[in-house]
Amino acid sequence: MTELNSKIPKGQLAEKWTNYKAHTNLVNPANKRRLDVIVVGTGLAGASAAASLAELGFKVKNFCYQDSPRRAHSIAAQGGINAAKNYQNDGDSVYRLFYDTIKGGDYRAREANVYRLAEVSNAIIDQCVAQGVPFAREYGGLLDNRSFGGAQVSRTFYARGQTGQQLLLGAYSALSRQVKKGNVELYTRHEMLDVVLVEGRARGIIVRDMVTGAIERYAAHAVVLATGGYGNVFFLSTNAMGSNATAIWKAFKRGAFFGNPSFTQIHPTCIPVHGDFQSKLTLMSESLRNDGRIWVPKNKEDAEKIRQGKLQPTQIKEEDRDYYLERRYPAFGNLVPRDVASRAAKERCDAGYGVGDTGLAVYLDFSDAINRLGKNVIEARYGNLFQMYEKIVDENPYETPMMIYPAVHYTMGGLWVDYELMTTIPGLYAIGEANFSDHGANRLGASALMQGLADGYFVLPYTIQNYLSDQIRVPKFSTDLPEFKQTEEEAADRLRKLMEVKGKQTVDSFHKRLGHIMWEYVGMGRNEAGLKKAIVEIAKLREEFWKDVKITGGMNEINPELEKAGRVADFLELGELMARDALIRNESCGGHFREEYQTPEGEALRDDQNLMYVAAWEFTGDNTEPRLNKEALDYEFVEVKQRNYK
Amino acid sequence: MDLTLKIWRQKNATSKGKFVTYKVNGISPNSSFLEMMDILNESLVVKGEDPVAFDHDCREGICGACSMYINGRPHGPDKAITTCQLHMRRFKDGDTIVIEPWRARPFPVLKDLIVDRTAFDKIIQAGGYISVNTGGIPDANAIPIPRANAELSMDAAACIGCGACVAACKNASAMLFVSAKVSQFERLPEGKPEAAERGQATVAEIDRLGFGN
Amino acid sequence: MVLKYSSITKKIIMALAGLFLISFLIVHLGINLLILKNDGREAFNLAAHFMVTNPLIQTMQWVLFGGFIIHILLGVVLQIQNWMARPQRYKVEGYSHTSFFSKFMIHTGAIILAFLVLHLINFFFRAKFGEMPGVMIGDQHYEDMGLLVIEKFKSLPYVLIYIFWLLFLGFHLDHAFHSALQSLGLNHNKYTPVAFGISRALAILIAGGFILIPLIIYIS
């Protein structure tokens, strides 16, 4: 087992980051100009990192697969961004934000990283305001806050229901400014295929120009991956269609460890699947659970009739309804954390009480709230969400209860990184959702935006200098090095191989089948037998894929089928690793629920004695099992407790 | 639902395109417009034909990637939504739907329904930002901003940069795109110092790029 | 030089020139309507005399020519740029919120220009350089511009040509006033719809007023 050095600075929790910054090595301005950095991804983490590094004077190359940096999926985040400003005078502090995040993550995140995240959160808000992000404001002109799950204070800053969009456009404008100045070279419609290692260090990437199909080489002194999460391994998720794991997966196969791959967040309030042709799931803000009551019919016969369309939900009498969250969790009721709410919905549907055509939905009912507060109040609070729901489902949620079901939303797992956000490959960094670092086994609402921008604006620009400071004598790399040539050939070969399969089944059909396996066995409820089955099934599917996939078109043109095939090929490998990780984690924590490990009441049961570690998986070869490395988590400053929402 | 689709097909930026007619059958009224396109593409792949290329990503109406000109209107017949949010129940069984790419000189077609919108990035690069570096910023509440101004700024900032305004405009003008960015910043004290230069620079850029007036 | 202006500057100049031309039309109409006064063309001839002799008006005449030329030149330049901005048209032509006549400003403009030449030959050049009948008002001798007008409009083809022409002037004006305000950045949630109304009213009043003159002269 490799010794994992997380490089956590010594000292008191509150002093670690200050001490680190005071003692880290920096690069002087003249030398910065001679150093190249590649940033892959233009979401909150990628764009903010690329812009900040370029402002410092580094020469940055920034890549994205979309047609514009502004389309990265950070744009879709609705709710808000947390910061410990304590503008509301409600007792918030850096420590409290840190503590809520650690606890929300079910004690599976690194203390020092999370504290640093809370520490820089305030500077993010200042930065965004200066960039012209139009956050919501009070009548007095000061910034407004809203509350979010998992916290007792109001610390979430927001810009209507489009906070992610506004923050991303802020980072995008900073990036655009550096492009204009010539400090960033922007490569849109370019997809990263592999990372190039020279003498064990990350020195460049291989990309495919998605318009011409050309395979190209780019060299740099350091490579930063900001390529987001891998929820699309489930086929249906709230991720964008193009979100993929290729960059981090290729890094994994070149030696970067993968941290906690099985930690997936399943969001309870999504619009249910409505048919086989469905391509994408739509999230409805968590805030709906403030006023909506979740229920299913008490009698199976009623549920059956509803599924057949013989009965309407409004015809079910009050005493025949099972408000199962209120029944199971009287203290928190409908406001239990995301993982708990999701599992409870699945439990009811699996037991045969589900509604909708498919039986995979539960009701979120606003009739009580409408009677109590009036339709106007509900409309003011959730009008846009109700409208979106009606657009998609074609039912009026003011008159009939909404239907919801959990869906894959975020992956807490990702490339293992140390305190400096560097992976186990020297010179290769991972930031934002692409790394595993800050959310443990469950992420709190409004924390993803915070982490992406923290990494990009305020952490990486410091920590990367510690590495680059001893690279100043390394001249710019030539992409003619044999390592570049070889990696490029391997990437091109792989695409050729895919094209040459010339089978019968479409890429999407394989992706859907993988999604079914993942959702069934590696989804909300996992057990040993199921996970073992998943490992076998995925391997079989992978074999079939490489024998029978059908890709039309050519390699040297825009070819969405080929793009999808490359991504699905990687998901077919990553899915198996997720199952393996879930299998060794013999406990239930956060979003990871092993059916064998629960209390008699059906609650998650952690095993802090044996499993309080980060599972960092190491690639050992295509035909050998990955090796498990462990980074023990020491809780020096917080007391580890069992979560209880009853 | 059974539908007839007339779709613009164009192999690449340099080749000449043409309309090709397709039939799709048994489409659920609950599927989205892009899911209908997925079904068409899936059937084309099975037949060994090249599927229709189109831009799309988030499929929830915010990323601005999808860009179809449907029956003479960008994003189709519904108000204030993108193509990905358009649902098939908006059409009738037996309808003929004409699908074209955005048409504007600065938005050249790359393939089928995909156009190159880097012109919009260039406009922002020309000055669609507030010149601040990371760090060293005063507290976010240091300058109060009247709520009404913040709201107006947000109205403008909500632009998703899809290019429908250019596609719809009879002059293929990008004035709306530019004015959204310029007014977002003009309403905020942070954006005032550069307001004039920003306006001039971005307008000069749309002229250079060849948008209409 | 004009070509080098930014699109917005061009549109602002275009709008200012347009508004100036509208003001000219109103003055012109006001004078023309005097011919319908039953006073043996006296008021009309006096006004016409004032227009051709007053030094201020004579100066403004050159400004007016300038306005016409700038408006026409910029209109053509802007239109060519707009055409160039969309080299490939749509198969299903546009749904668009713009008013109907906004799509045909260059066409209505061209028709107006063509007939303007005829109009200048008929009246303006004739008055300036040609033979004019005379008339005595009080003890002064004046050129009888009114007679010239009445003679012209006793001929049916002329009346029809003028009505046709003036209709297109109306179409052109329908998109003129509010569009000029928009180009000047004078846009308002509440008042922009009002500007649309004013625009249409101006179109109907100006074109209608001008049409009335040949019509009444021909009938009476």
Side-chain angles (χ1 to χ4, degrees):
Chain A
M1 205 158 88
T2 316
E3 186 64 32
L4 282 168
N5 181 6
S6 53
K7 295 193 219 156
I8 296 170
K10 296 265 176 294
Q12 284 297 306
L13 193 56
E15 291 159 8
K16 286 179 191 286
W17 180 232
T18 313
N19 286 345
Y20 177 89
K21 285 192 289 183
H23 298 109
T24 187
N25 295 311
L26 297 175
V27 182
N28 89 29
N31 287 329
K32 281 182 185 136
R33 285 196 291 276
R34 298 198 302 221
L35 293 169
D36 295 325
V37 182
I38 283 173
V39 179
V40 187
T42 58
L44 285 181
S48 59
S52 303
L53 290 171
E55 286 162 10
L56 288 171
F58 296 105
K59 290 290 169 200
V60 179
K61 294 185 176 76
N62 196 190
F63 297 81
C64 67
Y65 73 80
Q66 297 91 342
D67 69 324
S68 162
R70 65 182 291 155
R71 311 229 192 272
H73 199 53
S74 307
I75 200 122
Q78 300 170 353
I81 177 167
N82 288 330
K85 283 283 194 187
N86 193 29
Y87 283 160
Q88 307 303 323
N89 195 29
D90 55 2
D92 201 7
S93 64
V94 168
Y95 184 84
R96 194 173 284 276
L97 174 54
F98 150 76
Y99 181 77
D100 288 346
T101 308
I102 282 277
K103 179 186 167 199
D106 219 356
Y107 304 96
R108 290 294 175 267
R110 209 185 270 152
E111 271 185 332
N113 282 54
V114 178
Y115 195 88
R116 176 179 64 190
L117 175 66
E119 218 175 329
V120 302
S121 67
N122 290 341
I124 296 173
I125 305 302
D126 302 339
Q127 186 67 35
C128 294
V129 167
Q131 287 170 346
V133 170
F135 281 121
R137 287 177 182 269
E138 309 268 13
Y139 282 102
L142 300 182
L143 290 161
D144 192 18
N145 289 120
R146 57 164 67 143
S147 341
F148 245 73
Q152 290 161 308
V153 295
S154 242
R155 63 158 74 100
T156 305
F157 294 80
Y158 65 100
R160 297 201 187 138
Q162 291 140 273
T163 317
Q165 181 200 26
Q166 292 311 313
L167 297 180
L168 182 62
L169 293 182
Y172 163 73
S173 63
L175 174 66
S176 298
R177 176 168 165 250
Q178 294 305 314
V179 172
K180 175 75 172 178
K181 288 186 168 187
N183 297 330
V184 176
E185 284 176 58
L186 195 57
Y187 298 87
T188 58
R189 294 194 198 268
H190 277 68
E191 180 155 22
M192 174 174 156
L193 297 181
D194 212 337
V195 57
V196 182
L197 271 58
V198 180
E199 290 163 359
R201 292 169 188 264
R203 292 302 195 194
I205 57 171
I206 304 296
V207 300
R208 178 170 179 271
D209 180 328
M210 294 159 77
V211 176
T212 65
I215 312 286
E216 298 165 353
R217 312 168 187 179
Y218 293 92
H221 293 84
V223 175
V224 181
L225 301 184
T227 54
Y230 48 90
N232 271 348
V233 70
F234 289 86
F235 185 68
L236 286 181
S237 81
T238 64
N239 285 7
M241 302 302 286
S243 299
N244 69 84
T246 294
I248 57 170
W249 191 248
K250 291 295 154 49
F252 168 71
K253 293 180 85 169
R254 295 276 170 203
F257 290 4
F258 207 117
N260 299 332
S262 69
F263 285 176
T264 310
Q265 180 164 80
I266 298 185
H267 200 291
T269 49
C270 296
I271 298 178
V273 178
H274 57 71
D276 289 339
F277 48 82
Q278 186 148 6
S279 59
K280 151 92 195 180
L281 294 171
T282 305
L283 180 78
M284 305 290 287
S285 171
E286 183 170 332
S287 59
L288 288 171
R289 286 196 281 143
N290 280 305
D291 286 309
R293 293 179 72 195
I294 295 174
W295 63 275
V296 290
K298 221 175 232 170
N299 307 314
K300 271 191 194 174
E301 301 75 53
D302 288 349
E304 181 69 34
K305 278 185 194 154
I306 286 177
R307 287 199 290 271
Q308 291 164 352
K310 290 178 189 160
L311 203 61
Q312 293 304 309
T314 41
Q315 294 170 306
I316 307 275
K317 287 201 216 74
E318 191 62 26
E319 60 267 27
D320 292 331
R321 300 176 175 195
D322 176 15
Y323 295 92
Y324 58 87
L325 285 177
E326 296 168 28
R327 169 169 60 80
R328 284 178 67 176
Y329 308 100
F332 276 70
N334 294 299
L335 280 172
V336 289
R338 290 176 178 179
D339 50 342
V340 179
S342 293
R343 271 197 300 277
K346 178 177 159 41
E347 189 275 329
R348 282 291 83 189
C349 293
D350 288 352
Y353 296 92
V355 296
D357 301 340
T358 54
L360 290 176
V362 299
Y363 289 125
L364 178 62
D365 199 331
F366 288 87
S367 52
D368 274 4
I370 291 172
N371 289 339
R372 180 163 42 92
L373 304 163
K375 193 183 160 189
N376 289 348
V377 175
I378 296 300
E379 193 170 353
R381 282 184 193 168
Y382 312 111
N384 60 334
L385 294 168
F386 278 34
Q387 209 181 352
M388 184 164 86
Y389 180 85
E390 192 170 357
K391 195 98 242 167
I392 294 173
V393 184
D394 202 23
E395 282 182 0
N396 182 351
Y398 294 104
E399 281 157 18
T400 187
M402 257 186 200
M403 287 185 290
I404 53 163
Y405 200 66
V408 174
H409 179 54
Y410 186 89
T411 47
M412 282 74 70
L415 289 182
W416 184 91
V417 290
D418 59 23
Y419 188 72
E420 298 184 313
L421 305 180
M422 187 154 82
T423 67
T424 47
I425 297 174
L428 182 70
Y429 291 79
I431 58 176
E433 193 180 347
N435 73 26
F436 88 105
S437 73
D438 296 349
H439 306 297
N442 176 53
R443 179 176 65 74
L444 289 184
S447 281
L449 303 184
M450 173 172 67
Q451 187 221 338
L453 290 181
D455 288 359
Y457 283 133
F458 297 111
V459 180
L460 183 83
Y462 284 95
T463 61
I464 201 170
Q465 293 193 51
N466 200 29
Y467 173 78
L468 290 173
S469 61
D470 73 349
Q471 299 292 307
I472 52 175
R473 284 185 193 81
V474 181
K476 281 185 189 284
F477 286 90
S478 159
T479 52
D480 296 333
L481 291 172
E483 288 87 346
F484 277 91
K485 189 166 180 290
Q486 198 194 332
T487 315
E488 182 197 301
E489 276 168 13
E490 284 170 23
D493 272 351
R494 193 176 152 84
L495 294 181
R496 260 192 296 278
K497 251 176 80 186
L498 279 170
M499 295 297 299
E500 280 162 11
V501 176
K502 295 197 164 67
K504 288 195 182 60
Q505 302 178 61
T506 63
V507 178
D508 277 355
S509 69
F510 280 105
H511 197 176
K512 280 182 190 173
R513 283 165 68 191
L514 173 66
H516 281 135
I517 298 172
M518 294 302 293
W519 184 243
E520 192 60 30
Y521 304 114
V522 200
M524 269 187 290
R526 304 158 170 183
N527 60 56
E528 188 180 340
L531 290 166
K532 284 182 172 161
K533 189 164 178 208
I535 293 170
V536 176
E537 296 267 314
I538 294 168
K540 269 200 274 182
L541 186 64
R542 190 166 59 227
E543 208 175 309
E544 192 183 332
F545 175 84
W546 283 98
K547 278 191 190 135
D548 200 30
V549 71
K550 176 170 190 162
I551 302 163
T552 50
M555 279 176 69
N556 299 320
E557 59 184 21
I558 295 180
N559 189 343
E561 290 299 310
L562 179 61
E563 292 157 17
K564 284 192 286 188
R567 296 165 190 165
V568 170
D570 292 330
F571 284 140
L572 281 163
E573 297 177 4
L574 170 57
E576 186 184 320
L577 184 72
M578 291 169 72
R580 284 185 190 284
D581 184 53
L583 187 61
I584 58 108
R585 196 163 278 281
N586 288 316
E587 65 167 347
S588 296
C589 60
H592 168 68
F593 190 75
R594 280 284 298 273
E595 285 153 1
E596 305 94 312
Y597 305 99
Q598 49 180 316
T599 63
E601 300 88 39
E603 303 309 324
L605 199 60
R606 277 201 327 257
D607 179 359
D608 292 337
Q609 287 294 317
N610 301 305
L611 291 161
M612 204 144 75
Y613 63 74
V614 177
W617 293 88
E618 182 180 359
F619 182 72
T620 58
D622 274 320
N623 300 310
T624 51
E625 287 188 13
R627 187 182 299 131
L628 173 64
N629 300 280
K630 297 173 183 174
E631 180 205 345
L633 291 167
D634 290 329
Y635 285 93
E636 261 187 275
F637 305 96
V638 296
E639 188 195 344
V640 178
K641 289 183 190 160
Q642 198 70 35
R643 296 192 305 173
N644 179 11
Y645 297 100
K646 283 191 185 289
Chain B
M1 301 167 80
D2 297 342
L3 301 159
T4 304
L5 307 172
K6 289 191 160 82
I7 303 176
W8 180 260
R9 301 300 310 261
Q10 181 174 336
K11 190 137 184 55
N12 53 46
T14 50
S15 68
K16 254 183 86 116
K18 62 172 193 297
F19 282 93
V20 178
T21 305
Y22 299 95
K23 300 257 183 210
V24 286
N25 302 320
I27 299 294
S28 158
N30 287 329
S31 67
S32 74
F33 198 85
L34 295 187
E35 283 163 359
M36 184 275 294
M37 293 297 292
D38 291 341
I39 292 169
L40 168 70
N41 278 346
E42 194 80 352
S43 72
L44 290 177
V45 173
V46 169
K47 280 191 267 180
E49 289 175 37
D50 204 19
V52 181
F54 58 90
D55 266 326
H56 65 109
D57 206 19
C58 79
R59 295 212 181 184
E60 47 190 281
I62 190 80
C63 78
C66 60
S67 44
M68 294 184 188
Y69 193 84
I70 301 163
N71 285 348
R73 194 168 164 180
H75 295 308
D78 272 355
K79 266 194 180 163
I81 60 161
T82 55
T83 306
C84 64
Q85 292 174 300
L86 178 64
H87 278 70
M88 294 314 292
R89 64 179 79 95
R90 195 64 180 66
F91 297 89
K92 288 196 299 290
D93 190 32
D95 272 0
T96 297
I97 306 173
V98 182
I99 309 169
E100 305 176 66
W102 283 179
R103 296 284 189 202
R105 186 156 61 115
F107 288 170
V109 173
L110 295 176
K111 180 175 184 175
D112 299 340
L113 303 171
I114 296 181
V115 298
D116 182 357
R117 283 170 290 186
T118 39
F120 269 13
D121 287 332
K122 296 213 174 95
I123 294 171
I124 299 298
Q125 286 158 15
Y129 45 73
I130 293 173
S131 298
V132 286
N133 281 355
T134 303
I137 307 282
D139 188 86
N141 259 348
I143 312 170
I145 300 174
R147 189 166 190 247
N149 287 7
E151 290 296 311
L152 285 169
S153 174
M154 181 63 207
D155 286 344
C159 163
I160 61 170
C162 64
C165 55
V166 174
C169 175
K170 65 187 171 65
N171 301 339
S173 162
M175 294 290 179
L176 271 180
F177 176 73
V178 166
S179 61
K181 196 39 74 183
V182 168
S183 6
Q184 175 197 346
F185 291 143
E186 209 275 329
R187 298 280 178 184
L188 302 171
E190 291 83 3
K192 289 267 191 225
E194 294 171 289
E197 294 92 322
R198 184 179 303 116
Q200 284 158 10
T202 46
V203 169
E205 188 67 7
I206 54 173
D207 292 348
R208 194 186 68 75
L209 291 163
F211 286 99
N213 298 289
Chain C
M1 178 193 77
V2 168
L3 286 169
K4 280 191 179 163
Y5 287 152
S6 81
S7 47
I8 290 207
T9 312
K10 276 185 265 185
K11 289 179 73 154
I12 288 175
I13 298 173
M14 183 78 186
L16 290 173
L19 289 176
F20 175 65
L21 295 180
I22 289 176
S23 71
F24 157 73
L25 283 176
I26 291 170
V27 173
H28 193 333
L29 175 64
I31 293 169
N32 282 18
L33 286 173
L34 293 176
I35 204 168
L36 298 177
K37 206 173 160 195
N38 207 358
D39 62 351
R41 310 183 295 276
E42 186 181 318
F44 178 79
N45 280 336
L46 282 174
H49 179 76
F50 175 79
M51 294 304 281
V52 290
T53 51
N54 183 285
L56 180 69
I57 299 291
Q58 288 303 298
T59 321
M60 282 309 286
Q61 188 177 292
W62 294 108
V63 178
L64 180 65
F65 275 131
F68 264 113
I69 286 164
I70 287 172
H71 192 74
I72 292 163
L73 193 65
L74 278 177
V76 171
V77 168
L78 287 166
Q79 186 61 54
I80 289 172
Q81 283 178 337
N82 290 345
W83 279 329
M84 280 167 58
R86 179 164 292 144
Q88 168 115 33
R89 318 291 304 174
Y90 290 110
K91 181 183 172 82
V92 182
E93 265 303 341
Y95 173 94
S96 149
H97 273 299
T98 48
S99 64
F100 178 78
F101 291 115
S102 72
K103 294 173 194 166
F104 304 106
M105 292 304 271
I106 192 74
H107 312 96
T108 50
I111 290 170
I112 293 165
L113 177 63
F115 284 91
L116 183 66
V117 175
L118 177 77
H119 178 64
L120 289 177
I121 292 167
N122 278 348
F123 296 111
F124 183 78
F125 292 121
R126 184 81 188 274
K128 269 239 146 115
F129 314 112
E131 287 275 306
M132 289 290 289
V135 67
M136 294 298 288
I137 299 172
D139 50 4
Q140 282 264 7
H141 177 268
Y142 288 92
E143 291 178 327
D144 196 349
M145 189 73 189
L147 186 65
L148 188 68
V149 174
I150 287 167
E151 277 172 2
K152 275 272 180 267
F153 290 146
K154 282 293 178 196
S155 132
L156 184 63
Y158 263 107
V159 173
L160 291 178
I161 284 170
Y162 267 81
I163 290 176
F164 176 79
W165 174 46
L166 291 165
L167 277 176
F168 276 89
L169 178 67
F171 298 155
H172 196 75
L173 284 174
D174 187 60
H175 180 65
F177 181 70
H178 69 87
S179 157
L181 293 191
Q182 178 75 28
S183 291
L184 294 173
L186 300 171
N187 180 312
H188 192 275
N189 275 347
K190 215 155 90 198
Y191 301 122
T192 294
V194 177
F196 267 85
I198 295 175
S199 219
R200 177 136 309 163
L202 279 173
I204 293 170
L205 291 176
I206 293 177
F210 276 119
I211 286 173
L212 223 52
I213 295 160
L215 214 55
I216 290 175
I217 291 174
Y218 183 71
I219 291 165
S220 63

